[in-house]
Amino acid sequence: MTFPERAAEIDLDALRHNIRHLRDVAHPARVMAVVKADAYGHGAVPVARAAVEAGAAWLGVAHVSEGVALRKAGIEAPILAWLHTSGTDFTAGVEHGLDLGISGWELEHVVASARELERPAIVHLKIDTGLGRNGCPPDRWDALLARAVEYQEAGLIRVVGIFSHLAVADEPARPETDLQVQAFREAVAAAESAGIDVEVRHLANTPATFSRPDCHFDLVRVGLGIYGLSPFSDQGSADLGLQPVMTFSTVVSNCKEVPAGQGVSYGYAYRTHKPTTLGLIPVGYGDGVPRIATGAPVLVGNRIHPVVGRIAMDQLVIDFGTTGLVDTPDSPLGKRAVLFGAADSPAVEDWAAAAQTINYEIVTRISDRVERVYLEAPREESADGYA
Ligand SMILES: *Cc1c(COP(=O)(O)O)cnc(C)c1O
C-alpha cells in the first residue's frame, strides 16, 4: 500500500458531525463557524462549504480578504470579518456583502465605501468587555452607538450585531468571565436604548459554548471545536463529543540500525544508549512541525515512538528502541507514520505539550508544503447523475 508522501487528511464528515453537535450544544443559539487562518490550517473553502451544509448559520473570518476569497469561491452564507487595518479593502468587503466588525475608527471607512457603492454596509459593533484587544472601550460606546444610529438612519449601514470576545473562557472557574458577561449585557442594553434593533448578540467562543450557556446569546462563534479539538486542559475531544478533523501523516523514509552512542541530528542533542533502529520521518519545521517538539509521539504500525534529537527543516528522527527490523517484513521503511489525528493516532494535544503551545497553533501552522486531502463518504447521486 502506498500513502501520500505528506498529507493532512481533512475528514469533512467529522467536521459535519462536530458542527451538528455544536448546534445541539448551542441550541437555540445558532453557530458561526470560524474559518479564519485557512480554517485553522484545514482549508477555508472546503471547510466553509461543509460547515454551511451541516447547518452553520454564519461564517467568521478575521480579514476582509479571507471573506472575499470565500465569496469568490461561491459561498453565499453570511460572513463576518472583524480585524481591519487602514489598508483593508472595505469597499471589496461591502461589495461582496460581508458583515464587518466595527470597533471604532473603521466606521468612517465602511461608510465611505457604502456611499461609493450606494449600498448599505452590514455591521456588527464590537464592545471591549475586558479582553483589551479589539473592541470599543466602554467609555466610548455611547458615542459609537450615536454615530452608528445616525449612519443607519441615513441608509448607509445596517447594524445587525453586537459582539465581544472572552479572555479566560478556557478556564471556566475564573470569575472574570462573569464580569465580561455583565459588561456585554450593559452594552447590548445601551444599543437597544439608542434605537438599534439587534438581530444577533454574540460573545461565546468554543470554550464558552461548552462551559457557559449564559454566554450563548443568539450566536456562538466556534473555531477550535468545529475542528474537533478541545480548548480545555482537563478534557479531550471525546469528552466533548467531538471528532478531530485533521490527521497529519507521512511515510517512514529511511530506517537503519545503529550502535549504542550514535549521535542523532544536529548538535547531537540525543545519543542512543543501546543498539537500536532509527526511523527517518520526512517532515520538519518547513512543514510546520515545531522545532522544539522533541519527545512528541509518532505512530508507526500500531506503536508510538518518540521523536529523538533536534527536529530539522525537512525531517525528524524516531527511535524504534529495538533491533532486527531492517530488511525483514517488519521493517518500518515505507510504512505510514502518523504524527497526530483521528481515532488511535497521537493527539494534537501531545504535540502541543511537547512544543509548549496549544492545539490551535499545531494545526494552524501545518504549512502549504503538506497536501490537504479531503475525505468524505461518497454521497448518493440523484437520478439524473448530478449530485
Ligand atoms: C478566533 C476567534 C473565535 C474562535 O475562537 P475559538 O476559541 O477557536 O472557538 C471567536 N471569536 C473571535 C473574535 C475570534 O477571533
Side-chain angles (χ1 to χ4, degrees):
M1 183 152 185
T2 59
F3 302 101
E5 288 199 278
R6 282 158 213 91
E9 286 171 354
I10 308 300
D11 183 345
L12 293 175
D13 291 327
L15 182 98
R16 290 189 187 92
H17 159 88
N18 297 331
I19 296 270
R20 286 191 295 265
H21 179 57
L22 283 155
R23 283 175 61 199
D24 289 343
V25 171
H27 183 82
R30 290 182 298 165
V31 171
M32 172 187 289
V34 178
V35 298
K36 63 189 179 188
D38 203 25
Y40 294 35
H42 295 66
V45 169
V47 163
R49 281 203 188 108
V52 171
E53 278 165 23
W58 232 286
L59 297 168
V61 293
H63 306 164
V64 163
S65 55
E66 294 176 312
V68 168
L70 294 176
R71 283 281 183 265
K72 287 187 171 163
I75 291 166
E76 291 170 0
I79 300 172
L80 173 64
W82 54 68
L83 183 63
H84 317 297
T85 73
S86 53
T88 295
D89 189 346
F90 290 104
T91 303
V94 175
E95 194 172 4
H96 285 94
L98 302 185
D99 293 16
L100 299 165
I102 300 289
S103 297
W105 65 269
E106 308 94 327
L107 187 58
E108 305 307 326
H109 294 252
V110 166
V111 161
S113 296
R115 277 208 179 92
E116 182 187 329
L117 295 167
E118 298 181 15
R119 168 180 179 165
I122 306 165
V123 311
H124 298 232
L125 301 177
K126 186 169 192 181
I127 173 85
D128 182 359
T129 54
L131 182 60
R133 300 192 322 198
N134 226 334
C136 178
D139 62 342
R140 304 182 73 163
W141 184 240
D142 285 339
L144 178 62
L145 291 172
R147 273 196 297 148
V149 166
E150 209 174 288
Y151 290 132
Q152 178 156 277
E153 280 167 3
L156 291 162
I157 65 170
R158 203 153 59 78
V159 181
V160 303
I162 304 287
F163 74 119
S164 187
H165 197 34
L166 294 168
V168 297
D170 56 321
E171 299 170 77
R174 288 182 62 164
E176 293 96 328
T177 301
D178 293 332
L179 301 175
Q180 287 200 262
V181 175
Q182 182 55 29
F184 186 64
R185 289 189 185 284
E186 285 164 16
V188 169
E192 283 163 351
S193 348
I196 293 172
D197 182 15
V198 186
E199 181 188 328
V200 281
R201 302 162 297 161
H202 46 111
L203 177 62
N205 51 5
T206 298
T209 300
F210 282 106
S211 70
R212 297 283 307 227
D214 61 324
C215 293
H216 288 177
F217 294 94
D218 306 306
L219 185 66
V220 297
R221 300 186 307 269
V222 190
L224 193 72
I226 74 172
Y227 307 106
L229 302 178
S230 168
F232 303 116
S233 54
D234 59 347
Q235 285 176 291
S237 302
D239 299 318
L240 300 177
L242 299 172
Q243 299 173 3
V245 171
M246 180 190 290
T247 298
F248 180 31
S249 70
T250 178
V251 179
V252 179
S253 68
N254 203 359
C255 178
K256 68 172 92 169
E257 245 171 55
V258 297
Q262 169 76 51
V264 175
S265 192
Y266 298 130
Y268 291 152
Y270 178 77
R271 281 182 190 276
T272 57
H273 43 84
K274 60 175 188 183
T276 186
T277 307
L278 299 176
L280 189 63
I281 307 298
V283 291
Y285 59 82
D287 306 277
V289 176
R291 182 173 173 276
I292 65 162
T294 299
V298 177
L299 178 74
V300 178
N302 52 10
R303 289 195 54 198
I304 285 175
H305 306 281
V307 176
V308 294
R310 285 201 193 137
I311 294 175
M313 186 183 293
D314 312 308
Q315 47 198 303
L316 57 87
V317 176
I318 59 175
D319 187 346
F320 291 106
T322 184
T323 56
L325 300 172
V326 174
D327 293 335
T328 75
D330 290 334
S331 171
L333 182 65
K335 291 218 170 104
R336 187 170 192 236
V338 182
L339 283 78
F340 58 78
D344 301 328
S345 316
V348 179
E349 290 74 22
D350 299 332
W351 276 86
Q356 294 167 44
T357 184
I358 51 175
N359 49 8
Y360 291 75
E361 186 177 358
I362 297 293
V363 290
T364 302
R365 289 178 69 136
I366 297 303
S367 76
D368 285 349
R369 212 185 188 192
V370 178
E371 185 189 358
R372 268 56 172 180
V373 177
Y374 294 91
L375 306 181
E376 53 195 330
R379 312 288 196 85
E380 284 186 21
E381 292 190 4
S382 61
D384 61 5
Y386 293 96

